[in-house]
Amino acid sequence: MNKTVVAMSLALIFSGQALAETEQEAENQSTLVRLENEASKAELLTATNAPAKEEGRLHGTLGTNIEVERVIRDDGVNEGKLKYTLAQGSFRHDDLPGWDFGFYSAREELFNGNLKHADYDRGVNSIQEIWANRSYGQAWGSVGWGVKLAGESIDKRTTPEVKVFGNYNITDRLDIHGYAMYHVEYNRGSSEFPYWEIEPGFGYKIADNMGAWLNFRYQEGTLKPKSGDNFVETETIIKPGIWYSWGDLSASLWGEFGKFEKENDQTGAHEWSEDYWKLGISANYALNSSWRVFGEVSYKDIKFEDNSNSEFDGYIPLFIAGINYSF
């Protein structure tokens, strides 16, 4: 996984929005936990505010969006990507309580230069994912597990993944939640990257239409090329946020404050580091009982240090807009 160009984190748990007072509410809270890394914050707002559908036995969400990301650095890097989510969905069936299934299909067009006059000479990447999760709702919260298989065309990458997750309601307003994940990125013919992460956190329900969260994430993996030295990559992130709902309109303000480091596994030599902060605003609006539009804007400020101890700055602006249909 190339962490030099840091993509937008898909991480958010809207803890406290559905604190479990019944087994069904516990399962709703579990849904938020297991969606970690599978949806943007704006889409999680959509998922948590989607009305329950009574008709039919199959329920879920289908959606599409567009994402624009730029990476600008003082060392001369000026690049970005246009990402089209062709289709994504998550589903559950009344005859399979506790189970949910999903898929994701996207296309990335990678470019150099400014967006208006970009050179699309960095290639095109196709992303495909499928997953399944099983949760067990309890009066005190929930636990569960999930599996995912992902692939990317640009580096012939195949990534199997396993995850466990859960939440525990300390009070009717305060909960603790989290997940642990392990996956291996197989870049065909070039490298493999075993990788794990954990993310515990707290959620607090300020009011029926307002809440806050504070999560902590630690990630570690070892990049193992077919030839040459191995490299250890670690990242530590603090993730605060707050959300508010006005009924049909919901929004959140959130941040990420972290450090990424890359070292030579054989010599211990420093290869690369990033110290960063990121702020974002996410929102979604209900057009009717089934359709919702959502958007997200974020800005990431980064300080880099390379293996010669040279320091330079950079930033990553990101924009997402999309629409979801729930049934």
Side-chain angles (χ1 to χ4, degrees):
M1 177 182 296
N2 184 353
K3 292 301 186 68
T4 302
V5 179
V6 184
M8 178 198 68
S9 168
L10 299 181
L12 173 62
I13 304 169
F14 276 174
S15 325
Q17 186 166 1
L19 289 175
E21 297 176 354
T22 67
E23 182 172 331
Q24 181 60 47
E25 289 178 338
E27 185 171 325
N28 291 342
Q29 178 71 10
S30 176
T31 299
L32 306 181
V33 178
R34 66 179 180 264
L35 279 173
E36 186 74 15
N37 287 337
E38 294 169 5
S40 71
K41 298 171 180 62
E43 291 170 292
L44 284 181
L45 275 170
T46 302
T48 55
N49 289 303
K53 300 293 183 179
E54 299 298 333
E55 63 279 3
R57 303 185 64 79
L58 178 66
H59 314 280
T61 301
L62 291 169
T64 183
N65 65 61
I66 185 170
E67 174 182 327
V68 182
E69 179 184 81
R70 295 286 314 284
V71 180
I72 300 97
R73 300 187 340 204
D74 289 347
D75 63 346
V77 171
N78 183 2
E79 61 188 23
K81 68 180 180 182
L82 278 173
K83 184 176 183 179
Y84 308 94
T85 299
L86 306 176
Q88 63 180 337
S90 60
F91 313 95
R92 64 179 180 84
H93 198 280
D94 292 344
D95 294 336
L96 296 170
W99 285 94
D100 70 276
F101 308 89
F103 74 94
Y104 178 83
S105 178
R107 171 188 171 93
E108 292 179 333
E109 297 183 3
L110 310 178
F111 61 83
N112 280 305
N114 297 323
L115 181 62
K116 186 176 180 180
H117 304 290
D119 294 322
Y120 288 85
D121 53 3
R122 296 178 52 224
V124 176
N125 188 28
S126 175
I127 304 171
Q128 309 296 332
E129 299 178 358
I130 56 172
W131 65 82
N133 299 295
R134 178 68 166 100
S135 63
Y136 305 87
Q138 308 292 334
W140 46 263
S142 64
V143 294
W145 56 268
V147 294
K148 181 165 75 170
L149 181 64
E152 298 191 33
S153 64
I154 199 164
D155 55 5
K156 300 179 180 179
R157 182 189 308 177
T158 302
T159 306
E161 176 184 300
V162 295
K163 176 190 288 189
V164 294
F165 50 84
N167 70 285
Y168 179 80
N169 300 310
I170 300 172
T171 70
D172 60 350
R173 291 187 176 270
L174 178 66
D175 83 295
I176 183 171
H177 52 257
Y179 72 88
M181 178 271 285
Y182 178 81
H183 75 214
V184 183
E185 297 179 3
Y186 295 101
N187 296 345
R188 192 180 310 166
S190 61
S191 66
E192 66 178 62
F193 185 40
Y195 177 91
W196 63 271
E197 68 182 47
I198 57 172
E199 182 168 332
F202 295 93
Y204 186 72
K205 185 178 181 180
I206 301 171
D208 288 342
N209 64 337
M210 185 178 184
W213 71 89
L214 180 63
N215 289 1
F216 307 88
R217 177 184 291 183
Y218 180 79
Q219 308 171 163
E220 183 174 314
T222 301
L223 179 62
K224 302 177 180 180
K226 295 295 183 181
S227 60
D229 293 345
N230 295 344
F231 298 94
V232 176
E233 299 184 3
T234 60
E235 190 165 11
T236 306
I237 314 171
I238 299 174
K239 303 165 61 178
I242 189 169
W243 62 268
Y244 191 89
S245 175
W246 294 268
D248 289 339
L249 174 65
S250 299
S252 67
L253 175 66
W254 47 271
E256 297 179 4
F257 305 88
K259 183 178 183 62
F260 168 79
E261 294 185 288
K262 182 177 181 179
E263 296 181 346
N264 188 302
D265 192 31
Q266 277 68 44
T267 67
H270 165 76
E271 295 290 334
W272 188 268
S273 66
E274 302 173 10
D275 286 281
Y276 62 85
W277 58 265
K278 180 177 182 179
L279 292 177
I281 299 175
S282 306
N284 82 83
Y285 180 76
L287 301 176
N288 53 44
S289 61
S290 296
W291 292 94
R292 284 180 176 264
V293 293
F294 61 88
E296 183 165 303
V297 178
S298 67
Y299 177 88
K300 187 173 188 175
D301 184 90
I302 314 172
K303 296 187 180 299
F304 301 93
E305 183 179 310
D306 62 19
N307 55 10
S308 65
N309 295 322
S310 298
E311 298 182 356
F312 53 95
D313 296 336
Y315 60 95
I316 303 177
L318 180 84
F319 170 77
I320 302 175
I323 188 168
N324 279 338
Y325 174 77
S326 60
F327 59 92

